[in-house]
Amino acid sequence: LQQVTLYNFMAKDNVPFHSVVFPCSLLGAEDNYTLVNHLQATEYLNYEDGKFSKSRGVGVFGNNAKDTGIPADIYRFYLLFVRPESQDSTFSWEDFMTKNNSELLNNLGNFVNRALMFVSNFFQGVIPAVEVTEEDGQLLAQLNRELHAFIQCLEKVRVREGLVRILNISRLGNQYIQAQKPWVLVKGNQGEKARAGTIIGLAANVACLLSVMVQPYMPATSKVIQQQLQAPPDVNILTDRFVCQLPAGHKIGKPSPLFQKIEACTVAELKKKFAGTQMERKEQNQKEQNQKSTQGKTPPVQTATPTKVDQAEVDRLTAEVQKQGEVVRQLKTDKAEKNLVDTEVQKLLALKTQLAMAKGEVVRQLKTDKAEKNLVDTEVQKLLALKTQLAMAKGENPAEIIGGKGKKNKKGKK
């Protein structure tokens, strides 16, 4: 289809296939397939001092991020802020906290909240009339420059730089309010009050502009800003020049803070929680749960391995091994995630180890009781077969284990 402009987004290791191999295949098909027009490849995003790895469970993933209670928009912001567009970058919990507290809370959130609070407190929640003077010329020129650069960034898919332009605009807004001091002017004469109205009216309209610009990055935050502004849907049009979309007399809603501070203690807990692999975290969580469940209870007395084993216990363990073996086989057939398969395999090995110990006790008991030789030999063969399976599963050489024992037996006979 000639009217389609196709963009591809991928990691750098997929570039050869999608830039050469796949387009060649499409051309060879001679079926008028759409070829890629813009291929946007990123470098690698690392995690703390290592690399993200889904298979090894290294890093924080979607379900983990949700469980932290931190809004999705904060993760979206940070991941786009550190997007590895030209070189590898790193997800760091300390940097995550710093960017949230400095760029979102103290910059973007602070500006929007200040502008709307001034409208609410000094102008009864109504946008005042804006009469631009030469004093506002510098702000308007800077806004237009940043807005134009933002549009160029999105056209060229420089997503990270586009986010920087948004933060530049909110920073300009904060500087403008701080320099103009509307909280002082609003207490002066009529001219000064009118000037304060212009400052606050411009600031509220800049907040409206930011709500549109931030939409592809933080959609939930964009929606909240527009709800607080009670902005009509037709403000969601981005032009290359700043335009006041909220006219004088427009009634806004109730302002409230957009972002919350992330404390250092929270980050320390998250860093600890997501350290290591998912398997280690699962084991640690299970250990903590076990400790909580046994808290205040008398711990069970640890007894030595019994000298006698009931055949019923052996039968029970045998059935458990067979059942767990079916679970593992089904997971492998279904091509389940590696960490899940590994967990179930470890359970199977633990059961087999218990069964081997139990069978060993059975053999020893039979020898002690001087049972018939063919019965003892049968149980010995079962035990050796089980030990062989265990050795192979653990990557050991079963021949060395069984062979070594055989040599000792022969030597003993001599």
Side-chain angles (χ1 to χ4, degrees):
L1 298 175
Q2 297 302 316
Q3 70 270 28
V4 173
T5 301
L6 181 60
Y7 286 77
N8 280 178
F9 294 84
M10 64 193 66
K12 61 183 179 182
D13 51 341
N14 292 322
V15 169
F17 176 80
H18 287 279
S19 62
V20 179
V21 179
F22 190 53
C24 287
S25 301
L26 296 178
L27 289 170
E30 297 183 347
D31 202 14
N32 196 31
Y33 285 108
T34 299
L35 299 180
V36 62
N37 300 103
H38 302 276
L39 196 153
Q40 303 300 324
T42 58
E43 304 295 314
Y44 294 133
L45 177 67
N46 297 318
Y47 180 77
E48 295 291 351
D49 299 325
K51 294 182 178 180
F52 273 97
S53 173
K54 188 89 175 182
S55 60
R56 292 185 291 114
V58 177
V60 55
F61 296 93
N63 57 321
N64 307 131
K66 182 180 179 182
D67 294 339
T68 63
I70 298 173
D73 267 16
I74 309 302
Y75 286 102
R76 287 175 65 99
F77 162 79
Y78 182 68
L79 290 172
L80 291 169
F81 195 92
V82 298
R83 187 172 186 259
E85 293 183 353
S86 56
Q87 61 183 12
D88 291 357
S89 62
T90 301
F91 181 103
S92 160
W93 283 110
E94 281 83 1
D95 189 50
F96 179 84
M97 174 188 69
T98 300
K99 294 297 186 295
N100 175 82
N101 295 347
S102 61
E103 297 296 350
L104 291 183
L105 182 64
N106 295 338
N107 180 9
L108 177 61
N110 181 56
F111 168 69
V112 173
N113 190 248
R114 286 178 81 186
L116 272 60
M117 287 300 293
F118 278 130
V119 174
S120 181
N121 293 340
F122 296 133
F123 297 94
Q124 294 75 49
V126 176
I127 300 292
V130 175
E131 296 179 7
V132 178
T133 66
E134 290 184 4
E135 293 182 75
D136 308 312
Q138 182 180 1
L139 173 68
L140 296 176
Q142 290 172 323
L143 288 176
N144 287 331
R145 182 188 65 198
E146 293 295 338
L147 182 55
H148 179 74
F150 172 79
I151 293 171
Q152 290 298 310
C153 287
L154 293 196
E155 290 286 350
K156 297 177 180 179
V157 201
R158 295 204 298 265
V159 181
R160 185 181 62 189
E161 187 181 341
L163 186 54
V164 171
R165 300 294 178 177
I166 293 174
L167 297 172
N168 286 347
I169 289 178
S170 60
R171 193 171 290 110
L172 288 171
N174 272 318
Q175 293 168 356
Y176 174 71
I177 291 177
Q178 200 64 29
Q180 297 296 322
K181 295 181 172 59
W183 60 90
V184 175
L185 294 173
V186 79
K187 298 175 183 177
N189 57 40
Q190 286 300 114
E192 289 173 331
K193 287 181 180 179
R195 177 61 190 156
T198 294
I199 296 165
I200 299 307
L202 276 175
N205 273 281
V206 172
C208 184
L209 170 67
L210 287 169
S211 76
V212 180
M213 296 176 70
V214 83
Q215 199 170 86
Y217 296 90
M218 295 182 285
T221 301
S222 170
K223 185 177 180 180
V224 170
I225 297 173
Q226 294 194 5
Q227 285 174 343
Q228 293 184 18
L229 286 167
Q230 290 193 358
D234 56 12
V235 304
N236 292 298
I237 298 174
L238 203 59
T239 60
D240 59 358
R241 295 185 67 81
F242 171 68
V243 177
C244 288
Q245 298 278 15
L246 303 176
H250 174 82
K251 180 75 174 177
I252 70 168
K254 184 180 179 181
S256 61
L258 296 175
F259 307 106
Q260 299 295 324
K261 184 179 181 181
I262 297 178
E263 302 291 346
C265 59
T266 301
V267 163
E269 289 175 5
L270 291 171
K271 191 172 182 180
K272 180 181 177 181
K273 180 178 181 181
F274 297 113
T277 65
Q278 291 178 356
M279 183 70 67
E280 290 169 350
R281 293 201 294 270
K282 185 176 180 181
E283 290 174 355
Q284 181 62 27
N285 290 338
Q286 186 63 47
K287 184 178 179 182
E288 291 174 358
Q289 289 176 6
N290 291 340
Q291 288 175 347
K292 288 179 181 178
S293 63
T294 57
Q295 203 168 18
K297 297 179 181 179
T298 304
V301 179
Q302 297 295 323
T303 57
T305 304
T307 55
K308 273 196 171 185
V309 177
D310 191 348
Q311 184 60 40
E313 176 65 10
V314 174
D315 293 341
R316 185 190 70 80
L317 286 170
T318 301
E320 288 289 329
V321 167
Q322 291 174 349
K323 183 179 177 181
Q324 187 63 22
E326 288 297 327
V327 171
V328 171
R329 280 190 288 276
Q330 189 60 49
L331 286 174
K332 290 181 177 179
T333 302
D334 296 341
K335 297 182 179 179
E337 289 187 6
K338 185 177 182 297
N339 61 340
L340 180 58
V341 176
D342 289 345
T343 301
E344 298 303 323
V345 167
Q346 290 303 316
K347 291 180 182 178
L348 178 59
L349 290 177
L351 285 169
K352 284 188 174 182
T353 301
Q354 293 178 42
L355 181 57
M357 293 173 64
K359 282 184 175 290
E361 289 300 326
V362 168
V363 169
R364 280 189 287 274
Q365 191 62 47
L366 287 173
K367 289 181 178 179
T368 301
D369 296 342
K370 297 181 179 180
E372 293 183 7
K373 185 176 182 301
N374 61 343
L375 179 58
V376 174
D377 289 345
T378 300
E379 294 302 322
V380 167
Q381 290 303 315
K382 290 180 181 178
L383 177 60
L384 291 178
L386 183 58
K387 286 187 174 181
T388 300
Q389 293 176 23
L390 275 172
M392 292 176 67
K394 293 177 181 179
E396 300 171 353
N397 186 353
E400 291 180 2
I401 297 172
I402 299 171
K405 289 181 178 179
K407 289 176 183 177
K408 288 179 183 178
N409 290 338
K410 288 179 182 179
K411 190 173 181 181
K413 287 180 182 179
K414 288 178 183 179

